[in-house]
Amino acid sequence: MNDGRAPVANPPTLLEVRGLRTWMQVPGGRVRAVDGASLEVRRGETLALLGESGSGKSVTAASILRLLPEAARIVSGEVLLDGRDLLALPEREMREVRGLRIGMVFQEPMLSLDPVMRVGAQIDEALRRRHREPAARRRLRAIELLRSVGLPQPERRIDDYPFQFSGGMRQRAMLAIALAGEPDLLVADEPTTALDVTTQAQVLDLLMAAVRERGMGMLLITHDLGVVARCAQRVAVMYAGEIVETAPVDRFLEGPRHPYARRLMEALPRPGSRHRPLAVIPGSVPVFTTEPGGCRFASRCDQAIPGCSIEAPPVRVTGPGHEVRCLRDGATAGAEPDSQAPASTDRPTPADAAAGMDTVGLDASPVQPGEVDPSWPGSLPQSPTTRVDDRPLLEVRGLRVRFPVRGGAMRRVRGWIEAVDGVDLGIARGRTLALVGESGCGKTTAGKALLRLVDASGGELRLDGVDLRSLGRAALRPFRARAQIVFQDPYASLDPRMRIEETLDEGMRSLRPAWDARQRSMRIDRLLEEVGLPADARRRFPHQFSGGQRQRVAIARALSVEPELLVCDEPTSALDVSVQAQVLNLLRELQRRRGLACLFITHNLAVVETMADEVAVMYRGRIVEQGSAGRVLAAPAHPYTRALLAAVPRIEVPRDPGTVAAAAVPDLPDPVADREGCDYRPRCPLASARCARERPRAQPVGPGHVAACHERWGDPGPGR
Amino acid sequence: MRRGLLMPAFALALPGLPLAAATWAWHQGLALPVLLWTDALVWLLVIAVLAGFWLGRRSEPLREGWRRVLADAPAMASAVVLAVFVLIGLADSVHVRLALPAAGAASSGWSVEVTSALDLVLDDLRERRERTYSAPLATHAFQRETVVGADGRSVREFPRLRHGGAHLADPETEHRADILRRGLSGLLAGLLLAVLVGVVMVALVARARAMPWRRAARAILRSDTAPDGRPAPHWLALGVTLCAIALLAGLCTALSSHYHVLGTSKVGQSVLYLSLKSVRTSLVIGTLTTLVLLPFAVVLGIMAGYFRGWVDDLIQYVYTVVESIPSVLLIAAGVLLIQVYMESNPGAFATAAQRADFRLLMLCVILGVANWTTLARLLRGEALRLRELEFVQAAHAFGLSHGRIIARHLLPNTVHVVLIASVMGFSGLVLAEAVLSYVGVGVDPSMISFGTMINDARLEMAREPMVWWSLAATFAFMLALVLAANLFADAVRDAFDPRGGARAGQGGGA
């Protein structure tokens, strides 16, 4: 258990934040973004500040560094670094603190490096402040730093510009800059949120190593419980500007005491969650402009007692280093989180479900009230519309999509990027196929090509036996109604100038001309009800909704034309965990009720476990492994799948150093490079001479399970 | 419900007043309405703008944007200034030919001179001409003249003006006191008007927010936000600007009955009158040019960005070529062409005003053709961005036609770009008119505009003592107009540009 992450006995406190209040001026008043937060970071340890968006964790970090936006003001509190109050320092001295005492790593590696400065020069800026020595010596130091953050060939890459780096490499460079000042404290604000899961694992390992080796303290801001479990010794959970629970990570993972923290944990998709709805927290993080009378979580808490909304709960110590801000701690602590029935899911009641079924073009699949709960196992097609029919609804053979690379004076085509390179897929009615891969692997392009939003350059695309690729724009229209898409970004997927009802009406008007205005209007009401939005939502504009609500609208829009196939392109990757749970529950429920076939595109393997019947793993435009979800996840045959699985930060797997080593794969290589042999070869621990010569073909490795790899794995699940 | 109708009624009444007066005069047989080309377009624009507000009144993003604009003090003040200019311009856009004073009962014919409603209002100013230059508020001419006295001897002296201070028996002693007296009484009248405006405003606010007058007045003075937290119009700025304008108007009216407040021009016309007449020319150039360039810019710009490929190449090629021709050259060539056309078809124009007006219209067209490229570029970029957004892809997934996607999704989402560019472009065009007229390729020399005023004044700059008032008046009027337009445009951009501060409130957290 003790893998070097356990806290040293009584290490000295490095950073102490006491009663910090930072308020933001907005048109309606002053929002209490941070309202009395207290935390401490000790030398050599990592404190994770966990919270959803809007909880105030980033503002806390900005307050510590005194890098607040203009509208924000620190109203009261103390930020003590080695006992010195940073809030009292003049700006001149504060500049010395930033970089030299406190290093920073931000979320967006694209934005935190200066695009017109060489990486080496940016590191040198930080080095120069620490070391008065000749430039040549500093350059050596910079190279050494880059090497220490795991950048290959640092002697060569030091003179590159940021645009020549991939996202993971940029984040490494950012870390090198932060370490160049040899700070005592590292503040990392969602350092891996923008990265792929394999890269995330590496960057987290680097951060942990840096903290361990240099005896620094780290304040790690994150929304991801997996990251917390992987890296931190202690965790502070933030909610609506307050710290609601502080605990050592091990204790916390065994059983968080605060109802909010517990709910957050239950909302996480994981292997066991496949056969029952995920727990959700109704509503979203509230915004306070005045002192709330009672507990900030009371309005969303399923265990609130009358006292909760009257009196602000005190901080109570419930164990060594474990503090909770809740009135009811003793009463609920005994309940085992897993055995506890999820008291509030956003699932409509059975009556609602039945009511949504009868008229106007809704597919006739009346669900008897009694059927709902027993039939929950979301994997099995329950709907009567699902003919027991092995022929897939959608069949894809050898799909190829390529984009031209242009250059030269007349913008001639110089070469092609094979974004999707011979993909075979099949989805039956009522089933879910998850398409998994890192960013840039072509999974989104493949999904769009299925709907002919991107034109394929080769292959077959059959929906119910009809080749869609041969159809023109007009002939395609009838098929448009049968396949629809839900996009990733709920902020870009709704037209900001259109009311919700106009958005929902648009598709029906275009693709279901038989429905008149009255029928469409009735359907809009029913759709809104089905996705769990209030009826008055139809008159509103997208900006009046939260991200999760917008995604519900996007789902309603896709369902408005009664599709049989739904392509979900990372529908929850932009959402908070609790909201993600709401949307995943909704999708499963709708799929079960309507017998939809679903292509679920995602990079999140935890979500795959919850949603999919089958899994196809994609790497550089090709499918490297495909099979039933159970088999692929339990016994991955391709080394890439194994690396992906190992890199997923988990909260229940005991953290063993072996997974870390397995995850250490290099970044995704250049997509236009030569493509002889196996694409995965440069990253593969098993690569042999044969892999360089010959591209592996998909071969069966089990019932309905194929993998494209020359190597064979002896036992079904080594390393897992 | 009544409150909802108040604003549209008000908006219709103000520009409608001169129109109604003209119609009435026509019925009485006093005047023959003349519809100049630019008049027609100006009124069309007024209707279009009113219709735009009417159609967009329920669009929450637009309302929110305008609310933010009017909550900004400089924007509110400049909106008031602009509104005054617009009213002057509109009053000057109703043209008639007056009945000739005929011997018989029924008028025998109509005057060849085309006069506007503004001319009739300012009849006094227009009619009371001096022989040549005179300084502001002067009683004597600016130049010595040889006057033959009663005794037959000719004397070189500064003669008394025909109208300026003509009522004074002894200007030497009475001049200063008379100006002071009239000025003060004018200011007093203005003050009374301002108080009236203030009272009406307090009453309106009190009614809108359902609060007692005293509290409404306090709310205005502190420029509070509305009770619901949304930005409220900046009543204080509105009031202060209106008061300032009322005082200024009172002062000018009182003094101009017996003096030339801003002096006279070379041919003895009141400079105040010339300045007021120039306003319309500026407004026409500033707005009609935008009207001309909008279709080019919107259609071509959005098409280039949306379709890409060869359509984009072609459109980009066209506007790159247009841009690389020096615009002064293009405009000069165009104006010469028009001039040749007008000279070879003298019969096409009944009056000199119609000739001048035609040239003004053509100048707008030429300026529009030379200026559409900037907006087209902006719109192309915006369309390139929008076409990749997921809601446009969703529309493709619904099988919508290209035309519908452009009309339903791209156009509404580029409205802010068009709005910002139009308002920002206005002041540039006003200045361009002045420069072009100065160079000699602008409006017709007989047309009163800031450009022709500057051009005339330029010749007198070297004179000693200098004739400064013409230029000073032009400077003051143009500064007021362009500064107001720029301040207003800034506020419009801040309120509507999604990349500006508007979104700042949404970020946070994460």
Side-chain angles (χ1 to χ4, degrees), chain B residues 387-399:
Chain B
R387 79 185 294 280
E388 298 300 333
L389 284 189
E390 292 173 345
F391 65 81
V392 176
Q393 306 239 336
H396 281 297
F398 282 138

PDB file of all heavy atoms in Angstrom, chain B residues 387-399:
ATOM      1  N   ARG B 387     -19.625  27.526 -40.009  1.00  0.00           N
ATOM      2  CA  ARG B 387     -20.002  26.327 -40.760  1.00  0.00           C
ATOM      3  C   ARG B 387     -19.452  25.067 -40.112  1.00  0.00           C
ATOM      4  O   ARG B 387     -19.971  23.978 -40.326  1.00  0.00           O
ATOM      5  CB  ARG B 387     -19.516  26.437 -42.201  1.00  0.00           C
ATOM      6  CG  ARG B 387     -18.056  26.133 -42.402  1.00  0.00           C
ATOM      7  CD  ARG B 387     -17.628  26.380 -43.807  1.00  0.00           C
ATOM      8  NE  ARG B 387     -18.243  25.489 -44.772  1.00  0.00           N
ATOM      9  CZ  ARG B 387     -17.858  24.247 -45.010  1.00  0.00           C
ATOM     10  NH1 ARG B 387     -16.850  23.736 -44.345  1.00  0.00           N
ATOM     11  NH2 ARG B 387     -18.457  23.511 -45.897  1.00  0.00           N
ATOM     12  N   GLU B 388     -18.399  25.219 -39.311  1.00  0.00           N
ATOM     13  CA  GLU B 388     -17.844  24.052 -38.644  1.00  0.00           C
ATOM     14  C   GLU B 388     -18.521  23.782 -37.298  1.00  0.00           C
ATOM     15  O   GLU B 388     -18.278  22.764 -36.677  1.00  0.00           O
ATOM     16  CB  GLU B 388     -16.342  24.237 -38.399  1.00  0.00           C
ATOM     17  CG  GLU B 388     -15.510  24.398 -39.659  1.00  0.00           C
ATOM     18  CD  GLU B 388     -15.619  23.192 -40.569  1.00  0.00           C
ATOM     19  OE1 GLU B 388     -15.883  22.078 -40.068  1.00  0.00           O
ATOM     20  OE2 GLU B 388     -15.479  23.366 -41.790  1.00  0.00           O
ATOM     21  N   LEU B 389     -19.338  24.719 -36.850  1.00  0.00           N
ATOM     22  CA  LEU B 389     -19.966  24.535 -35.545  1.00  0.00           C
ATOM     23  C   LEU B 389     -20.990  23.416 -35.619  1.00  0.00           C
ATOM     24  O   LEU B 389     -21.557  23.110 -36.663  1.00  0.00           O
ATOM     25  CB  LEU B 389     -20.637  25.827 -35.071  1.00  0.00           C
ATOM     26  CG  LEU B 389     -19.671  26.885 -34.566  1.00  0.00           C
ATOM     27  CD1 LEU B 389     -20.434  28.021 -33.931  1.00  0.00           C
ATOM     28  CD2 LEU B 389     -18.702  26.297 -33.562  1.00  0.00           C
ATOM     29  N   GLU B 390     -21.248  22.840 -34.463  1.00  0.00           N
ATOM     30  CA  GLU B 390     -22.030  21.617 -34.466  1.00  0.00           C
ATOM     31  C   GLU B 390     -23.495  21.860 -34.801  1.00  0.00           C
ATOM     32  O   GLU B 390     -24.158  20.979 -35.329  1.00  0.00           O
ATOM     33  CB  GLU B 390     -21.851  20.917 -33.122  1.00  0.00           C
ATOM     34  CG  GLU B 390     -20.420  20.411 -32.999  1.00  0.00           C
ATOM     35  CD  GLU B 390     -20.081  19.840 -31.644  1.00  0.00           C
ATOM     36  OE1 GLU B 390     -20.837  20.074 -30.697  1.00  0.00           O
ATOM     37  OE2 GLU B 390     -19.051  19.161 -31.544  1.00  0.00           O
ATOM     38  N   PHE B 391     -23.997  23.071 -34.508  1.00  0.00           N
ATOM     39  CA  PHE B 391     -25.409  23.248 -34.841  1.00  0.00           C
ATOM     40  C   PHE B 391     -25.625  23.318 -36.348  1.00  0.00           C
ATOM     41  O   PHE B 391     -26.688  22.944 -36.844  1.00  0.00           O
ATOM     42  CB  PHE B 391     -26.044  24.431 -34.092  1.00  0.00           C
ATOM     43  CG  PHE B 391     -25.520  25.792 -34.418  1.00  0.00           C
ATOM     44  CD1 PHE B 391     -25.966  26.459 -35.535  1.00  0.00           C
ATOM     45  CD2 PHE B 391     -24.611  26.413 -33.578  1.00  0.00           C
ATOM     46  CE1 PHE B 391     -25.508  27.736 -35.812  1.00  0.00           C
ATOM     47  CE2 PHE B 391     -24.146  27.681 -33.849  1.00  0.00           C
ATOM     48  CZ  PHE B 391     -24.597  28.345 -34.978  1.00  0.00           C
ATOM     49  N   VAL B 392     -24.610  23.773 -37.072  1.00  0.00           N
ATOM     50  CA  VAL B 392     -24.726  23.757 -38.527  1.00  0.00           C
ATOM     51  C   VAL B 392     -24.622  22.316 -39.041  1.00  0.00           C
ATOM     52  O   VAL B 392     -25.349  21.907 -39.942  1.00  0.00           O
ATOM     53  CB  VAL B 392     -23.641  24.657 -39.160  1.00  0.00           C
ATOM     54  CG1 VAL B 392     -23.688  24.557 -40.672  1.00  0.00           C
ATOM     55  CG2 VAL B 392     -23.845  26.089 -38.731  1.00  0.00           C
ATOM     56  N   GLN B 393     -23.754  21.539 -38.421  1.00  0.00           N
ATOM     57  CA  GLN B 393     -23.656  20.129 -38.790  1.00  0.00           C
ATOM     58  C   GLN B 393     -24.957  19.399 -38.492  1.00  0.00           C
ATOM     59  O   GLN B 393     -25.385  18.537 -39.264  1.00  0.00           O
ATOM     60  CB  GLN B 393     -22.529  19.479 -37.996  1.00  0.00           C
ATOM     61  CG  GLN B 393     -21.223  20.203 -38.154  1.00  0.00           C
ATOM     62  CD  GLN B 393     -20.156  19.318 -38.709  1.00  0.00           C
ATOM     63  OE1 GLN B 393     -20.210  18.102 -38.578  1.00  0.00           O
ATOM     64  NE2 GLN B 393     -19.190  19.914 -39.353  1.00  0.00           N
ATOM     65  N   ALA B 394     -25.580  19.769 -37.367  1.00  0.00           N
ATOM     66  CA  ALA B 394     -26.862  19.141 -37.038  1.00  0.00           C
ATOM     67  C   ALA B 394     -27.885  19.476 -38.114  1.00  0.00           C
ATOM     68  O   ALA B 394     -28.703  18.633 -38.496  1.00  0.00           O
ATOM     69  CB  ALA B 394     -27.343  19.619 -35.674  1.00  0.00           C
ATOM     70  N   ALA B 395     -27.845  20.705 -38.624  1.00  0.00           N
ATOM     71  CA  ALA B 395     -28.769  21.091 -39.689  1.00  0.00           C
ATOM     72  C   ALA B 395     -28.504  20.259 -40.944  1.00  0.00           C
ATOM     73  O   ALA B 395     -29.431  19.846 -41.634  1.00  0.00           O
ATOM     74  CB  ALA B 395     -28.622  22.581 -39.994  1.00  0.00           C
ATOM     75  N   HIS B 396     -27.221  19.990 -41.230  1.00  0.00           N
ATOM     76  CA  HIS B 396     -26.902  19.099 -42.357  1.00  0.00           C
ATOM     77  C   HIS B 396     -27.487  17.716 -42.113  1.00  0.00           C
ATOM     78  O   HIS B 396     -28.024  17.090 -43.023  1.00  0.00           O
ATOM     79  CB  HIS B 396     -25.390  18.982 -42.529  1.00  0.00           C
ATOM     80  CG  HIS B 396     -24.778  20.153 -43.226  1.00  0.00           C
ATOM     81  ND1 HIS B 396     -25.087  20.489 -44.516  1.00  0.00           N
ATOM     82  CD2 HIS B 396     -23.881  21.073 -42.805  1.00  0.00           C
ATOM     83  CE1 HIS B 396     -24.405  21.561 -44.856  1.00  0.00           C
ATOM     84  NE2 HIS B 396     -23.668  21.944 -43.847  1.00  0.00           N
ATOM     85  N   ALA B 397     -27.385  17.256 -40.873  1.00  0.00           N
ATOM     86  CA  ALA B 397     -27.898  15.927 -40.555  1.00  0.00           C
ATOM     87  C   ALA B 397     -29.411  15.878 -40.713  1.00  0.00           C
ATOM     88  O   ALA B 397     -29.982  14.818 -40.899  1.00  0.00           O
ATOM     89  CB  ALA B 397     -27.519  15.534 -39.133  1.00  0.00           C
ATOM     90  N   PHE B 398     -30.065  17.034 -40.647  1.00  0.00           N
ATOM     91  CA  PHE B 398     -31.503  17.082 -40.875  1.00  0.00           C
ATOM     92  C   PHE B 398     -31.834  17.287 -42.348  1.00  0.00           C
ATOM     93  O   PHE B 398     -32.991  17.495 -42.708  1.00  0.00           O
ATOM     94  CB  PHE B 398     -32.141  18.208 -40.058  1.00  0.00           C
ATOM     95  CG  PHE B 398     -32.331  17.880 -38.612  1.00  0.00           C
ATOM     96  CD1 PHE B 398     -32.063  18.808 -37.626  1.00  0.00           C
ATOM     97  CD2 PHE B 398     -32.784  16.623 -38.233  1.00  0.00           C
ATOM     98  CE1 PHE B 398     -32.233  18.504 -36.283  1.00  0.00           C
ATOM     99  CE2 PHE B 398     -32.962  16.314 -36.897  1.00  0.00           C
ATOM    100  CZ  PHE B 398     -32.683  17.248 -35.932  1.00  0.00           C
ATOM    101  N   GLY B 399     -30.824  17.291 -43.184  1.00  0.00           N
ATOM    102  CA  GLY B 399     -31.065  17.398 -44.616  1.00  0.00           C
ATOM    103  C   GLY B 399     -31.553  18.765 -45.071  1.00  0.00           C
ATOM    104  O   GLY B 399     -32.202  18.879 -46.101  1.00  0.00           O
TER     105      GLY B 399
END
